[in-house]
């Protein structure tokens, strides 16, 4: 179950934020085979004066609309899967008007022992099991 944190510039429209969340989610489903019901994306806004970045880092010309996507998930995806994921995210967001140049993605990997996803239960004890609340 990936957990996503998305940071967008303040006053980004609700529609655009929803499109970003959906694009990231669909890319995760497509590129790494994440189950469709594993949607957890915490979106925060930043004030322009709170985010300092080099507009030309690594030869990429960034705009005022830079967004940051942090993905935390269980370790074990190949580099090829991650490459496909990053490309899919950028491509999907481009369809809603987000420049691929403005998509910054960070991956954090850990193990089941680093998670509790509900009821205060150590995730390793319930790895890949479904609850019956649904």
């Amino acid at each position: 179950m990936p957990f996503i944190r998305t940071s967008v510039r303040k006053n980004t429209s609700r529609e655009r934020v929803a499109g970003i969340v959906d694009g990231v989610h669909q890319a995760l489903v497509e590129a790494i085979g994440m189950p469709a019901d594993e949607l957890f994306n915490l979106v925060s806004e930043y004030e322009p004066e709170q985010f300092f970045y080099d507009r030309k880092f690594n030869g990429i010309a960034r705009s005022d609309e830079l967004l940051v996507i942090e993905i935390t998930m269980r370790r074990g995806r190949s580099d090829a899967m991650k490459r496909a994921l990053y490309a899919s995210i950028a491509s999907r967001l481009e369809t809603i008007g987000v420049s691929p140049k403005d998509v910054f993605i960070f991956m954090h990997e850990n193990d089941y022992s680093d998670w509790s996803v509900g009821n205060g239960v150590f995730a390793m004890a319930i790895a890949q099991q479904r609850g019956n609340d649904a």
Side-chain angles (χ1 to χ4, degrees):
M1 176 205 91
F3 184 84
I4 316 305
R5 288 182 178 267
T6 303
S7 299
V8 299
R9 186 180 171 112
K10 187 165 178 136
N11 297 321
T12 300
S13 74
R14 288 181 183 258
E15 295 79 20
R16 188 174 183 96
V17 169
I20 291 167
V21 168
D22 185 61
V24 172
H25 182 70
Q26 294 307 319
L28 284 159
V29 170
E30 171 191 285
I32 67 166
M34 181 186 76
D37 69 341
E38 292 187 7
L39 171 61
F40 296 92
N41 192 324
L42 181 61
V43 178
S44 6
E45 294 183 326
Y46 64 85
E47 295 281 352
E49 64 272 9
Q50 293 175 315
F51 188 16
F52 298 86
Y53 57 91
D54 188 319
R55 292 180 181 275
K56 297 176 191 157
F57 172 72
N58 212 25
I60 299 171
R62 293 172 182 81
S63 78
D64 289 337
E65 301 300 320
L66 186 64
L67 65 95
V68 178
I69 300 164
E70 294 181 71
I71 303 169
T72 302
M73 65 181 176
R74 182 180 44 82
R75 160 177 357 272
R77 279 35 175 238
S78 69
D79 286 350
M81 291 174 85
K82 292 175 191 174
R83 256 193 297 289
L85 174 61
Y86 303 154
S88 182
I89 289 171
S91 175
R92 288 174 180 279
L93 297 188
E94 188 172 26
T95 67
I96 63 164
V98 176
S99 170
K101 295 176 181 185
D102 287 331
V103 179
F104 231 61
I105 304 170
F106 299 95
M107 178 77 66
H108 308 281
E109 293 182 305
N110 54 32
D111 297 306
Y112 280 121
S113 62
D114 299 309
W115 296 77
S116 174
V117 296
N119 295 328
V121 177
F122 184 53
M124 199 147 194
I126 59 169
Q128 298 302 314
Q129 295 179 14
R130 301 274 183 203
N132 56 8
D133 290 345

